[in-house]
Amino acid sequence: MRLERRAAAALLTTMVVATTLACSNTAKSAAAGPRSQAVPSSRDASPTSEVAPRSGASPTSEVAPATAPAGGASIDVRAAYCPSGWTALRVTSLGATEVTGLGAVIACTDASRTTTYLENRSSAAWLLGPTVPAASVFRYHAPLGLPLFLQTVRSSRNREAVTPGSQLSIALPPTAVSWEVDLPLTYAWEGHSLIVGKLEAFGEGYTTTSLTPGSQAGRALAACTVGIETRAAASGDLEDADPVETTLAGLGARAAGGACRTATDSVVLGDPAYTSLSDELDQVAVDPQLTTALTIRLEAASAVTRALSDDVRLLVGP
């Protein structure tokens, strides 16, 4: 069963790379035609009230020329994936031996080379480097629950998270932008999304008013996010851990005690009230469709983590 799940994860990772990038390191691939749905540029994007505004930070260093990493791997982002007028970058990994995983990174820079566009098309969550301030990050989209997740990560890690599917621009040149793939944080994001989905199933009122830091559901969600990340980090080698069991343990499903379980016990759902959030989370373990999807995503994230764990850099292509 584990081999079957790993095979499915590897297939999913390959499909993501194949559908997002042409894995060619030539200038011809950068001149390919535009995709059907263009990436929004910094001119036409409008942040939501909960999304950090983009700052006017000045560049801290010059953009490095493209050099192939010795013994590593690199891939040139297609220009068609960049905002109009922006330059596609080369994504390199000094420790990688193949481009699988690198293709999940879309990276571009503006004409002045003082701002970096970054898109996470992988299944894994990233942490921006400690030198990337929150005020320099502009997010093009804020899906349901993301602002609360970002705030929780800022409080616990003092860093900016980049969740799967995120598109953002950073008011720093490419050489000043760094990040790392974080598998425990990916588990936390998956668990967070699972809880948001449970709340959403009970109606809009449970998501638009309850997903705030001061609400009961918001406090429970923050406690569970930290609880899952802590559990995942304590599991040692997550590549050998069972994704579902690790997530459920972090949620405190079917087990008394723990910050997440205690907090979700107090969140009552339904009108009239007839169940608790903790009871809903107990049902995850017996939902084969949900657990299978969770396993595939997390094992795909493990594969991406291996590919992007070694000194990833952004360089201007040839």
Side-chain angles (χ1 to χ4, degrees):
M1 179 65 70
R2 174 54 57 87
L3 291 176
E4 291 176 355
R5 289 203 304 262
R6 288 186 180 237
L11 177 60
L12 179 60
T13 303
T14 302
M15 291 172 63
V16 169
V17 174
T19 56
T20 57
L21 290 176
C23 296
S24 169
N25 292 329
T26 66
K28 289 182 180 180
S29 65
R35 60 180 178 177
S36 58
Q37 190 171 15
V39 174
S41 71
S42 59
R43 295 188 301 271
D44 57 28
S46 57
T48 67
S49 58
E50 297 180 284
V51 181
R54 178 178 165 186
S55 76
S58 59
T60 58
S61 61
E62 295 295 326
V63 177
T67 54
S74 66
I75 189 169
D76 291 335
V77 175
R78 289 181 59 187
Y81 291 115
C82 295
S84 177
W86 290 47
T87 300
L89 297 174
R90 171 173 291 177
V91 182
T92 75
S93 177
L94 299 186
T97 57
E98 57 184 38
V99 298
T100 301
L102 296 180
V105 181
I106 304 297
C108 318
T109 187
D110 63 350
S112 64
R113 296 183 179 179
T114 60
T115 302
T116 303
Y117 175 84
L118 198 60
E119 185 174 337
N120 179 2
R121 293 192 176 187
S122 75
S123 301
W126 309 342
L127 271 178
L128 292 178
T131 59
V132 179
S136 71
V137 180
F138 173 91
R139 299 177 189 271
Y140 290 100
H141 305 290
L144 190 63
L146 178 61
L148 184 56
F149 179 80
L150 295 175
Q151 181 168 330
T152 302
V153 175
R154 291 185 195 114
S155 298
S156 64
R157 304 286 289 272
N158 197 30
R159 303 269 289 276
E160 285 297 298
V162 183
T163 55
S166 290
Q167 297 172 305
L168 50 109
S169 61
I170 304 169
L172 293 171
T175 49
V177 175
S178 64
W179 75 92
E180 60 192 65
V181 181
D182 194 299
L183 199 51
L185 185 67
T186 305
Y187 273 72
W189 170 246
E190 287 291 344
H192 174 98
S193 300
L194 190 153
I195 296 173
V196 170
K198 290 292 185 181
L199 292 171
E200 190 176 17
F202 280 85
E204 185 178 355
Y206 287 94
T207 53
T208 57
T209 60
S210 64
L211 293 181
T212 58
S215 70
Q216 193 171 49
R219 290 192 297 270
L221 190 51
C224 293
T225 299
V226 174
I228 296 170
E229 182 182 3
T230 301
R231 179 72 182 198
S235 298
D237 188 358
L238 282 175
E239 293 181 19
D240 292 329
D242 185 288
V244 174
E245 290 301 322
T246 302
T247 303
L248 291 178
L251 290 173
R254 296 185 172 182
C260 179
R261 179 72 186 202
T262 301
T264 54
D265 275 341
S266 302
V267 180
V268 179
L269 302 174
D271 185 17
Y274 65 87
T275 188
S276 68
L277 180 56
S278 60
D279 288 338
E280 287 298 304
L281 295 179
D282 284 344
Q283 301 305 310
V284 173
V286 294
D287 186 334
Q289 184 175 0
L290 188 58
T291 55
T292 298
L294 182 65
T295 298
I296 290 175
R297 286 196 301 271
L298 286 172
E299 293 200 342
S302 294
V304 171
T305 301
R306 290 191 295 271
L308 296 177
S309 61
D310 296 301
D311 198 5
V312 178
R313 300 181 184 180
L314 302 177
L315 305 172
V316 173

